[in-house]
Amino acid sequence: MNHQEQARLQRARAFDRAELATIYDEYSPLLYRYIYRQVGEVETARDVTAQVFERFLQTLRQGHGPDQQLKAWLYRTAHNLVIDHYRRQQHRQHLPLDEALVDAADDPVSRAETRLTAADLRSALQQLTPDQQQVIALKFLGQLSNAEVAAVLDKPVGAVKSLQHRALAALQRQLVPLEETV
Amino acid sequence: MKSSFIDILDQALEQRHTEQPVSLPPGDDPAQTETLAALLQTAAALDRLQPVELPSPESREADRAAFLAQLDQLPRPQAVSASPLERLKGWLVHHLPNQLPSLSYQRKEQVSMFPLMIKAALAFTLIFGSMGGTAVLAANSLPDSPLYPLKMTLEQARLGLADAPADQAALHLAFAQERTQEMEQLALRGGSLEEAGFTALQRHLNAAFSLAAELPETAMLGLLSQTQQMVQSQTELLTQAQSEISGPQLASLQQASQLLNQVGQEAEAGLQDPLAFRLRHGPAAPVGPPLSPATVTPTPPVTPPGPCQDADCQPAGDQNQNQHQNQHQNGPRSTITPATTRPGPCDGDGCEPAGDKNQHQNGPRASVSPAATQTGSCDGDDCEPAGNQNQDQNQNRNGPQSTVTPAATQTGACDGDDCDQLPDQDQDRDRDRDQSQDQDRDQSQDHDPEQDQDRDQDQTQDQDRDQDQSQDHDPEQDRDRDQDQDGSGSGPADDSGNDENGGEANEDSGNDDSANDSGGSDRGNSDSGGDTDNDSSTGSDSSGGDNSNGGGGDSGGSGGGGGKK
């Protein structure tokens, strides 16, 4: 952890208002996207994101909180809260994808393909192990680096790469027969 | 190779957003290229789903304001009083200024207390905490770490501090698990797996079994159950790791997996027949090579069993097939090495030349020379005392019978190193057989099933057959007769018998990550998630219960029907 990160966490523990606001501005959009891709709803994603930062403040108040990597801590907390959300909702799917996801291209054909792919991806992702799903969510949907994913999952980078490989291979196996029917 | 493909894939994923073309190593396998392309295509499908529905700017602003309001409402951390050291110093200076002049000495320069406190804390930590910290670091070290010897020392210390055998056995089990995990982590990291790690694993498992055999039954069964659980979890771990690696590390992990399979089967056998387990692993068991898996490595050196002096001795054979069937799946009881070994000299009346045409599934009794298959008296190195043909069939699947050194005498006095202590039924049979045997029994026109069993132990089938032709029997008849003797009637079991590759079935079951749906919410608030691939693994539990019927029953030759996995 570099000196800047240390200083930042030190100020956060001291409840430096400006620092905490900066942290919020920097990480809330990233966390929102990460959570949204797992819950699929705007309002739910906003609520869970708010819970992440609420928990962040609570742990700081108690003298705990992240000692080193703030980003990893926040993503890990977000992941746990998503799980809690599903427990409350009694959802079994770990990583549902909203079928109404809008593709970058606004073409109806592309949009239809996206919906089909999203539904297929959701089904395929549900076949993965929880670790694999997390790697997919963090790496591909959350745009985290290998090192950051490793910090969130508390695994070595090599294991993250292996999980990434296995997850993609498993997804590919699931999607190939579906693509052939499209 | 596999680890490099993983790196190539990762690099390609990093480059896919850049203008740089994905570069593959020279001489790359076209199949690998094709696989890489397919995976990149899948990643691209994920990329297309990136855009999300963002909240409105007003909503974002409202959320930010709510966060700041929450921040403002929280009470700030309160200032604490001076540190205890400071307070003590101030008190001493106040009350004892003359007695402690140094404390009241006014420095010319004001020295900040904070750095001083830090230095004191560092010194204290270095002196008293480094050991603990080092120990903590050492606890997680791998064999290629400089702290690993310290880890071993600490483990030895823990063993030394454990007084009760049950505690020691549990520690050995824990250390065996640790060795397995070290191998797994080292393999995944790409490190080289030294033979010492595997040897240490063997040593701990053997020690655990030896100690368990001395425990009261309840404690022993508990430990064996623990062993099964450990074996299952570690086998799953190794299976998972094997799918990620290749090369020499793969062979090492396979070897470890096979050892664990054997251990699991042995534990299962122990649970079903505690008495036999004690005989195999208890203090009365002869010292011999440790448990070892069906070898992945080249054949170990031959270790001849000791001489068998007594007519009742059956050094290289096991009357109780049920007892030892499991043992001999991947290596018979603890004294058996997987390699082919020469039977020791046998010059008792009960001796028979070694050799069994049905026995040498994977490891023939290499020591038996064709010339030694003469029936009748046998006093050469290739002799093998009387043993059960059917037993040998299973015994020698991965480790020939000839290496078995029985733990205790069966009937009467058996003072050879390789004497076996057998259940009464088997002892009776042996006694009967021995009584009916003489040096010329194989040459006799009248033969009985037991004689045939003995005869069939000869390594060279043709010679046996030739000899037997005059006696009007053939191997097929012998096999059938043997099976009939046991009442099992399982014809082909002699050859197929126990699945020496039982462990492999387990390896396949847990590898398919995609088959598992753990439901992330089930993991609760675990930060690290945790890979639930292990859920579907069937572990290494032996299902071959029929092979471990400790009562021995009719162990003569139940065709190795053990449904071993």
Side-chain angles (χ1 to χ4, degrees), chain B residues 324-363:
Chain B
H324 299 287
Q325 198 164 6
N326 291 335
Q327 296 170 346
H328 301 175
Q329 284 297 318
N330 289 318
R333 44 187 298 174
S334 55
T335 59
I336 296 176
T337 61
T340 60
T341 60
R342 295 170 61 85
C346 173
D347 51 3
D349 286 343
C351 291
E352 286 284 340
D356 178 5
K357 59 180 178 293
N358 294 321
Q359 289 176 342
H360 307 301
Q361 300 275 343
N362 287 328

mmCIF file of all heavy atoms in Angstrom, chain B residues 324-363:
data_model
loop_
_atom_site.group_PDB
_atom_site.id
_atom_site.type_symbol
_atom_site.label_atom_id
_atom_site.label_comp_id
_atom_site.label_asym_id
_atom_site.label_seq_id
_atom_site.Cartn_x
_atom_site.Cartn_y
_atom_site.Cartn_z
ATOM 1 N N HIS B 324 -7.256 -58.066 3.844
ATOM 2 C CA HIS B 324 -6.174 -57.385 3.164
ATOM 3 C C HIS B 324 -6.534 -56.929 1.776
ATOM 4 O O HIS B 324 -5.722 -56.367 1.089
ATOM 5 C CB HIS B 324 -4.960 -58.305 3.064
ATOM 6 C CG HIS B 324 -4.446 -58.695 4.409
ATOM 7 N ND1 HIS B 324 -3.776 -57.795 5.201
ATOM 8 C CD2 HIS B 324 -4.539 -59.834 5.095
ATOM 9 C CE1 HIS B 324 -3.487 -58.407 6.343
ATOM 10 N NE2 HIS B 324 -3.924 -59.631 6.306
ATOM 11 N N GLN B 325 -7.711 -57.185 1.401
ATOM 12 C CA GLN B 325 -8.057 -56.827 0.042
ATOM 13 C C GLN B 325 -7.955 -55.336 -0.155
ATOM 14 O O GLN B 325 -7.421 -54.855 -1.115
ATOM 15 C CB GLN B 325 -9.465 -57.314 -0.258
ATOM 16 C CG GLN B 325 -9.765 -57.388 -1.732
ATOM 17 C CD GLN B 325 -10.984 -58.218 -1.969
ATOM 18 O OE1 GLN B 325 -11.638 -58.635 -1.031
ATOM 19 N NE2 GLN B 325 -11.302 -58.487 -3.223
ATOM 20 N N ASN B 326 -8.493 -54.658 0.815
ATOM 21 C CA ASN B 326 -8.408 -53.215 0.719
ATOM 22 C C ASN B 326 -6.981 -52.741 0.827
ATOM 23 O O ASN B 326 -6.575 -51.793 0.213
ATOM 24 C CB ASN B 326 -9.236 -52.561 1.818
ATOM 25 C CG ASN B 326 -10.697 -52.776 1.566
ATOM 26 O OD1 ASN B 326 -11.119 -52.966 0.446
ATOM 27 N ND2 ASN B 326 -11.478 -52.766 2.613
ATOM 28 N N GLN B 327 -6.286 -53.414 1.645
ATOM 29 C CA GLN B 327 -4.923 -52.976 1.849
ATOM 30 C C GLN B 327 -4.144 -53.046 0.562
ATOM 31 O O GLN B 327 -3.256 -52.275 0.310
ATOM 32 C CB GLN B 327 -4.235 -53.852 2.878
ATOM 33 C CG GLN B 327 -4.843 -53.761 4.263
ATOM 34 C CD GLN B 327 -4.288 -54.811 5.148
ATOM 35 O OE1 GLN B 327 -3.664 -55.737 4.691
ATOM 36 N NE2 GLN B 327 -4.499 -54.665 6.449
ATOM 37 N N HIS B 328 -4.498 -54.033 -0.184
ATOM 38 C CA HIS B 328 -3.635 -54.307 -1.316
ATOM 39 C C HIS B 328 -4.127 -53.666 -2.581
ATOM 40 O O HIS B 328 -3.659 -53.941 -3.646
ATOM 41 C CB HIS B 328 -3.512 -55.819 -1.542
ATOM 42 C CG HIS B 328 -2.961 -56.511 -0.343
ATOM 43 N ND1 HIS B 328 -2.849 -57.855 -0.246
ATOM 44 C CD2 HIS B 328 -2.498 -56.017 0.820
ATOM 45 C CE1 HIS B 328 -2.350 -58.168 0.939
ATOM 46 N NE2 HIS B 328 -2.121 -57.075 1.600
ATOM 47 N N GLN B 329 -5.039 -52.800 -2.434
ATOM 48 C CA GLN B 329 -5.515 -52.113 -3.606
ATOM 49 C C GLN B 329 -4.387 -51.341 -4.234
ATOM 50 O O GLN B 329 -4.047 -51.466 -5.393
ATOM 51 C CB GLN B 329 -6.631 -51.159 -3.222
ATOM 52 C CG GLN B 329 -7.935 -51.854 -2.950
ATOM 53 C CD GLN B 329 -8.468 -52.548 -4.159
ATOM 54 O OE1 GLN B 329 -8.417 -52.018 -5.250
ATOM 55 N NE2 GLN B 329 -8.967 -53.753 -3.993
ATOM 56 N N ASN B 330 -3.836 -50.528 -3.447
ATOM 57 C CA ASN B 330 -2.761 -49.713 -3.958
ATOM 58 C C ASN B 330 -1.462 -50.022 -3.249
ATOM 59 O O ASN B 330 -0.478 -49.371 -3.431
ATOM 60 C CB ASN B 330 -3.075 -48.228 -3.756
ATOM 61 C CG ASN B 330 -4.179 -47.835 -4.688
ATOM 62 O OD1 ASN B 330 -4.202 -48.228 -5.829
ATOM 63 N ND2 ASN B 330 -5.119 -47.079 -4.179
ATOM 64 N N GLY B 331 -1.522 -50.992 -2.477
ATOM 65 C CA GLY B 331 -0.360 -51.323 -1.644
ATOM 66 C C GLY B 331 -0.964 -51.987 -0.469
ATOM 67 O O GLY B 331 -1.876 -51.461 0.146
ATOM 68 N N PRO B 332 -0.569 -53.143 -0.173
ATOM 69 C CA PRO B 332 -1.204 -53.881 0.922
ATOM 70 C C PRO B 332 -0.950 -53.209 2.254
ATOM 71 O O PRO B 332 -0.493 -52.088 2.324
ATOM 72 C CB PRO B 332 -0.553 -55.250 0.829
ATOM 73 C CG PRO B 332 0.709 -55.034 0.089
ATOM 74 C CD PRO B 332 0.517 -53.846 -0.787
ATOM 75 N N ARG B 333 -1.204 -53.906 3.274
ATOM 76 C CA ARG B 333 -1.067 -53.339 4.587
ATOM 77 C C ARG B 333 0.228 -52.581 4.687
ATOM 78 O O ARG B 333 1.096 -52.670 3.850
ATOM 79 C CB ARG B 333 -1.106 -54.454 5.608
ATOM 80 C CG ARG B 333 -0.253 -55.625 5.136
ATOM 81 C CD ARG B 333 -0.369 -56.803 5.970
ATOM 82 N NE ARG B 333 0.078 -56.545 7.311
ATOM 83 C CZ ARG B 333 -0.045 -57.439 8.257
ATOM 84 N NH1 ARG B 333 -0.641 -58.565 8.012
ATOM 85 N NH2 ARG B 333 0.363 -57.194 9.453
ATOM 86 N N SER B 334 0.360 -51.965 5.777
ATOM 87 C CA SER B 334 1.369 -50.929 5.852
ATOM 88 C C SER B 334 2.757 -51.401 5.548
ATOM 89 O O SER B 334 3.673 -50.626 5.383
ATOM 90 C CB SER B 334 1.362 -50.321 7.259
ATOM 91 O OG SER B 334 1.532 -51.359 8.200
ATOM 92 N N THR B 335 2.947 -52.653 5.504
ATOM 93 C CA THR B 335 4.298 -53.114 5.241
ATOM 94 C C THR B 335 4.552 -53.356 3.770
ATOM 95 O O THR B 335 5.618 -53.757 3.385
ATOM 96 C CB THR B 335 4.556 -54.435 5.975
ATOM 97 O OG1 THR B 335 3.586 -55.378 5.509
ATOM 98 C CG2 THR B 335 4.429 -54.253 7.468
ATOM 99 N N ILE B 336 3.580 -53.119 3.022
ATOM 100 C CA ILE B 336 3.715 -53.491 1.626
ATOM 101 C C ILE B 336 4.148 -52.302 0.801
ATOM 102 O O ILE B 336 3.637 -51.218 0.932
ATOM 103 C CB ILE B 336 2.390 -54.030 1.082
ATOM 104 C CG1 ILE B 336 2.032 -55.313 1.808
ATOM 105 C CG2 ILE B 336 2.473 -54.273 -0.411
ATOM 106 C CD1 ILE B 336 0.702 -55.862 1.416
ATOM 107 N N THR B 337 5.078 -52.552 -0.041
ATOM 108 C CA THR B 337 5.469 -51.532 -1.006
ATOM 109 C C THR B 337 4.774 -51.826 -2.318
ATOM 110 O O THR B 337 4.434 -52.950 -2.607
ATOM 111 C CB THR B 337 6.983 -51.555 -1.238
ATOM 112 O OG1 THR B 337 7.326 -52.850 -1.762
ATOM 113 C CG2 THR B 337 7.728 -51.323 0.053
ATOM 114 N N PRO B 338 4.563 -50.828 -3.083
ATOM 115 C CA PRO B 338 3.847 -51.036 -4.329
ATOM 116 C C PRO B 338 4.652 -51.824 -5.348
ATOM 117 O O PRO B 338 4.136 -52.458 -6.218
ATOM 118 C CB PRO B 338 3.592 -49.627 -4.846
ATOM 119 C CG PRO B 338 4.626 -48.807 -4.204
ATOM 120 C CD PRO B 338 4.904 -49.451 -2.866
ATOM 121 N N ALA B 339 5.936 -51.781 -5.209
ATOM 122 C CA ALA B 339 6.757 -52.416 -6.233
ATOM 123 C C ALA B 339 6.710 -53.913 -6.083
ATOM 124 O O ALA B 339 6.381 -54.464 -5.048
ATOM 125 C CB ALA B 339 8.190 -51.934 -6.093
ATOM 126 N N THR B 340 7.104 -54.542 -7.109
ATOM 127 C CA THR B 340 7.237 -55.991 -7.000
ATOM 128 C C THR B 340 8.407 -56.312 -6.109
ATOM 129 O O THR B 340 9.445 -55.659 -6.143
ATOM 130 C CB THR B 340 7.504 -56.597 -8.373
ATOM 131 O OG1 THR B 340 8.714 -56.046 -8.883
ATOM 132 C CG2 THR B 340 6.368 -56.265 -9.312
ATOM 133 N N THR B 341 8.247 -57.256 -5.330
ATOM 134 C CA THR B 341 9.316 -57.614 -4.406
ATOM 135 C C THR B 341 9.486 -59.110 -4.409
ATOM 136 O O THR B 341 8.573 -59.867 -4.694
ATOM 137 C CB THR B 341 9.014 -57.172 -2.979
ATOM 138 O OG1 THR B 341 7.816 -57.805 -2.572
ATOM 139 C CG2 THR B 341 8.832 -55.664 -2.908
ATOM 140 N N ARG B 342 10.683 -59.454 -4.052
ATOM 141 C CA ARG B 342 10.972 -60.865 -3.990
ATOM 142 C C ARG B 342 10.466 -61.433 -2.687
ATOM 143 O O ARG B 342 10.651 -60.826 -1.626
ATOM 144 C CB ARG B 342 12.468 -61.081 -4.064
ATOM 145 C CG ARG B 342 13.098 -60.668 -5.390
ATOM 146 C CD ARG B 342 14.605 -60.709 -5.254
ATOM 147 N NE ARG B 342 15.093 -62.060 -4.928
ATOM 148 C CZ ARG B 342 15.340 -63.002 -5.854
ATOM 149 N NH1 ARG B 342 15.171 -62.745 -7.115
ATOM 150 N NH2 ARG B 342 15.765 -64.195 -5.498
ATOM 151 N N PRO B 343 9.869 -62.550 -2.747
ATOM 152 C CA PRO B 343 9.569 -63.228 -1.478
ATOM 153 C C PRO B 343 10.851 -63.733 -0.857
ATOM 154 O O PRO B 343 11.819 -64.017 -1.541
ATOM 155 C CB PRO B 343 8.658 -64.377 -1.910
ATOM 156 C CG PRO B 343 9.011 -64.606 -3.334
ATOM 157 C CD PRO B 343 9.456 -63.312 -3.905
ATOM 158 N N GLY B 344 10.821 -63.806 0.407
ATOM 159 C CA GLY B 344 12.042 -64.242 1.078
ATOM 160 C C GLY B 344 12.182 -65.737 0.999
ATOM 161 O O GLY B 344 11.310 -66.469 0.549
ATOM 162 N N PRO B 345 13.237 -66.181 1.489
ATOM 163 C CA PRO B 345 13.447 -67.629 1.489
ATOM 164 C C PRO B 345 12.415 -68.299 2.389
ATOM 165 O O PRO B 345 12.054 -67.773 3.436
ATOM 166 C CB PRO B 345 14.865 -67.780 2.034
ATOM 167 C CG PRO B 345 15.143 -66.498 2.741
ATOM 168 C CD PRO B 345 14.354 -65.447 2.047
ATOM 169 N N CYS B 346 11.990 -69.381 1.947
ATOM 170 C CA CYS B 346 10.963 -70.075 2.697
ATOM 171 C C CYS B 346 11.309 -71.523 2.693
ATOM 172 O O CYS B 346 11.363 -72.165 1.657
ATOM 173 C CB CYS B 346 9.604 -69.841 2.027
ATOM 174 S SG CYS B 346 8.286 -70.803 2.761
ATOM 175 N N ASP B 347 11.610 -72.001 3.818
ATOM 176 C CA ASP B 347 12.021 -73.386 3.835
ATOM 177 C C ASP B 347 11.199 -74.212 4.798
ATOM 178 O O ASP B 347 11.621 -75.235 5.284
ATOM 179 C CB ASP B 347 13.517 -73.463 4.185
ATOM 180 C CG ASP B 347 13.804 -72.648 5.434
ATOM 181 O OD1 ASP B 347 12.833 -72.107 6.017
ATOM 182 O OD2 ASP B 347 14.944 -72.528 5.817
ATOM 183 N N GLY B 348 10.031 -73.700 5.090
ATOM 184 C CA GLY B 348 9.148 -74.483 5.935
ATOM 185 C C GLY B 348 8.304 -75.405 5.099
ATOM 186 O O GLY B 348 8.277 -75.351 3.866
ATOM 187 N N ASP B 349 7.585 -76.236 5.812
ATOM 188 C CA ASP B 349 6.752 -77.186 5.094
ATOM 189 C C ASP B 349 5.612 -76.510 4.367
ATOM 190 O O ASP B 349 5.054 -77.036 3.429
ATOM 191 C CB ASP B 349 6.186 -78.219 6.084
ATOM 192 C CG ASP B 349 7.254 -79.181 6.520
ATOM 193 O OD1 ASP B 349 8.293 -79.258 5.836
ATOM 194 O OD2 ASP B 349 7.068 -79.804 7.561
ATOM 195 N N GLY B 350 5.265 -75.373 4.869
ATOM 196 C CA GLY B 350 4.130 -74.693 4.265
ATOM 197 C C GLY B 350 4.506 -73.859 3.081
ATOM 198 O O GLY B 350 3.694 -73.135 2.525
ATOM 199 N N CYS B 351 5.706 -73.933 2.673
ATOM 200 C CA CYS B 351 6.146 -73.028 1.634
ATOM 201 C C CYS B 351 5.746 -73.560 0.282
ATOM 202 O O CYS B 351 5.695 -74.745 0.030
ATOM 203 C CB CYS B 351 7.675 -72.886 1.672
ATOM 204 S SG CYS B 351 8.211 -72.017 3.143
ATOM 205 N N GLU B 352 5.504 -72.610 -0.567
ATOM 206 C CA GLU B 352 5.184 -72.925 -1.949
ATOM 207 C C GLU B 352 5.942 -71.964 -2.811
ATOM 208 O O GLU B 352 6.170 -70.831 -2.444
ATOM 209 C CB GLU B 352 3.683 -72.752 -2.216
ATOM 210 C CG GLU B 352 2.823 -73.837 -1.632
ATOM 211 C CD GLU B 352 2.912 -75.098 -2.459
ATOM 212 O OE1 GLU B 352 3.303 -75.020 -3.632
ATOM 213 O OE2 GLU B 352 2.624 -76.171 -1.910
ATOM 214 N N PRO B 353 6.291 -72.439 -3.949
ATOM 215 C CA PRO B 353 6.951 -71.511 -4.833
ATOM 216 C C PRO B 353 6.029 -70.352 -5.143
ATOM 217 O O PRO B 353 4.829 -70.515 -5.298
ATOM 218 C CB PRO B 353 7.238 -72.338 -6.083
ATOM 219 C CG PRO B 353 7.199 -73.742 -5.609
ATOM 220 C CD PRO B 353 6.204 -73.779 -4.469
ATOM 221 N N ALA B 354 6.628 -69.224 -5.229
ATOM 222 C CA ALA B 354 5.823 -68.042 -5.498
ATOM 223 C C ALA B 354 5.388 -68.034 -6.931
ATOM 224 O O ALA B 354 6.065 -68.498 -7.822
ATOM 225 C CB ALA B 354 6.641 -66.800 -5.208
ATOM 226 N N GLY B 355 4.276 -67.486 -7.155
ATOM 227 C CA GLY B 355 3.823 -67.340 -8.524
ATOM 228 C C GLY B 355 2.352 -67.594 -8.619
ATOM 229 O O GLY B 355 1.797 -68.486 -8.016
ATOM 230 N N ASP B 356 1.730 -66.755 -9.351
ATOM 231 C CA ASP B 356 0.291 -66.931 -9.520
ATOM 232 C C ASP B 356 -0.092 -66.282 -10.816
ATOM 233 O O ASP B 356 0.038 -65.086 -10.992
ATOM 234 C CB ASP B 356 -0.463 -66.292 -8.358
ATOM 235 C CG ASP B 356 -1.949 -66.442 -8.551
ATOM 236 O OD1 ASP B 356 -2.365 -67.120 -9.517
ATOM 237 O OD2 ASP B 356 -2.686 -65.886 -7.760
ATOM 238 N N LYS B 357 -0.598 -67.046 -11.687
ATOM 239 C CA LYS B 357 -0.908 -66.482 -12.976
ATOM 240 C C LYS B 357 -1.979 -65.426 -12.902
ATOM 241 O O LYS B 357 -2.127 -64.593 -13.763
ATOM 242 C CB LYS B 357 -1.338 -67.578 -13.925
ATOM 243 C CG LYS B 357 -2.572 -68.328 -13.412
ATOM 244 C CD LYS B 357 -2.963 -69.418 -14.391
ATOM 245 C CE LYS B 357 -4.152 -70.200 -13.851
ATOM 246 N NZ LYS B 357 -3.775 -70.966 -12.660
ATOM 247 N N ASN B 358 -2.759 -65.483 -11.880
ATOM 248 C CA ASN B 358 -3.815 -64.498 -11.747
ATOM 249 C C ASN B 358 -3.386 -63.293 -10.960
ATOM 250 O O ASN B 358 -4.133 -62.368 -10.789
ATOM 251 C CB ASN B 358 -5.029 -65.116 -11.044
ATOM 252 C CG ASN B 358 -5.636 -66.178 -11.911
ATOM 253 O OD1 ASN B 358 -5.719 -66.020 -13.113
ATOM 254 N ND2 ASN B 358 -6.030 -67.270 -11.300
ATOM 255 N N GLN B 359 -2.253 -63.368 -10.479
ATOM 256 C CA GLN B 359 -1.881 -62.345 -9.516
ATOM 257 C C GLN B 359 -1.296 -61.127 -10.156
ATOM 258 O O GLN B 359 -1.341 -60.049 -9.627
ATOM 259 C CB GLN B 359 -0.854 -62.891 -8.545
ATOM 260 C CG GLN B 359 -1.429 -63.903 -7.588
ATOM 261 C CD GLN B 359 -0.367 -64.481 -6.734
ATOM 262 O OE1 GLN B 359 0.800 -64.379 -7.066
ATOM 263 N NE2 GLN B 359 -0.739 -65.098 -5.639
ATOM 264 N N HIS B 360 -0.715 -61.290 -11.275
ATOM 265 C CA HIS B 360 0.179 -60.232 -11.696
ATOM 266 C C HIS B 360 -0.511 -59.252 -12.607
ATOM 267 O O HIS B 360 -0.150 -59.060 -13.741
ATOM 268 C CB HIS B 360 1.396 -60.842 -12.389
ATOM 269 C CG HIS B 360 2.027 -61.867 -11.512
ATOM 270 N ND1 HIS B 360 2.504 -61.544 -10.272
ATOM 271 C CD2 HIS B 360 2.215 -63.185 -11.662
ATOM 272 C CE1 HIS B 360 2.970 -62.654 -9.694
ATOM 273 N NE2 HIS B 360 2.813 -63.660 -10.515
ATOM 274 N N GLN B 361 -1.493 -58.660 -12.049
ATOM 275 C CA GLN B 361 -2.262 -57.696 -12.807
ATOM 276 C C GLN B 361 -1.396 -56.528 -13.187
ATOM 277 O O GLN B 361 -1.335 -56.087 -14.304
ATOM 278 C CB GLN B 361 -3.440 -57.217 -11.962
ATOM 279 C CG GLN B 361 -4.364 -58.318 -11.560
ATOM 280 C CD GLN B 361 -5.381 -58.603 -12.608
ATOM 281 O OE1 GLN B 361 -5.607 -57.804 -13.491
ATOM 282 N NE2 GLN B 361 -6.023 -59.755 -12.518
ATOM 283 N N ASN B 362 -0.783 -56.000 -12.183
ATOM 284 C CA ASN B 362 0.034 -54.835 -12.460
ATOM 285 C C ASN B 362 1.456 -55.013 -12.001
ATOM 286 O O ASN B 362 2.340 -54.298 -12.386
ATOM 287 C CB ASN B 362 -0.527 -53.598 -11.754
ATOM 288 C CG ASN B 362 -1.779 -53.140 -12.444
ATOM 289 O OD1 ASN B 362 -1.917 -53.278 -13.636
ATOM 290 N ND2 ASN B 362 -2.699 -52.634 -11.681
ATOM 291 N N GLY B 363 1.607 -55.883 -11.125
ATOM 292 C CA GLY B 363 2.959 -56.002 -10.575
ATOM 293 C C GLY B 363 3.249 -57.442 -10.335
ATOM 294 O O GLY B 363 2.850 -58.024 -9.342
#
